Amino acid sequence: MTIIIQLLVLALIILSTVLVIGIPVTLASPGKWEKSKNLIYTTIGIWVGIIIVTGIINSFIA
């Protein structure tokens, strides 16, 4: 069960890094926001989902 938490946290760190780099680049590029808006919203939704799942699984461990 601990390995699952560690993998979820690793996924959260990787996805957070991608979002921290990707969102400003997308917003700074002319015309990219309209093309990438759905992808960014989907990625943010996945990020929130990972946080919720990690919290729920972590409540069973502690």
Side-chain angles (χ1 to χ4, degrees):
M1 191 66 107
T2 305
I3 294 174
I4 295 171
I5 294 291
Q6 290 175 349
L7 290 174
L8 285 169
V9 170
L10 178 65
L12 186 64
I13 291 170
I14 292 171
L15 195 56
S16 296
T17 305
V18 168
L19 286 171
V20 163
I21 294 169
I23 289 176
V25 168
T26 302
L27 291 174
S29 302
K32 286 286 190 171
W33 173 248
E34 289 79 20
K35 295 178 184 176
S36 304
K37 183 171 39 174
N38 290 333
L39 179 62
I40 289 175
Y41 286 148
T42 303
T43 309
I44 291 171
I46 293 170
W47 185 83
V48 170
I50 291 174
I51 289 176
I52 292 170
V53 169
T54 303
I56 290 170
I57 293 176
N58 194 29
S59 68
F60 292 120
I61 293 177

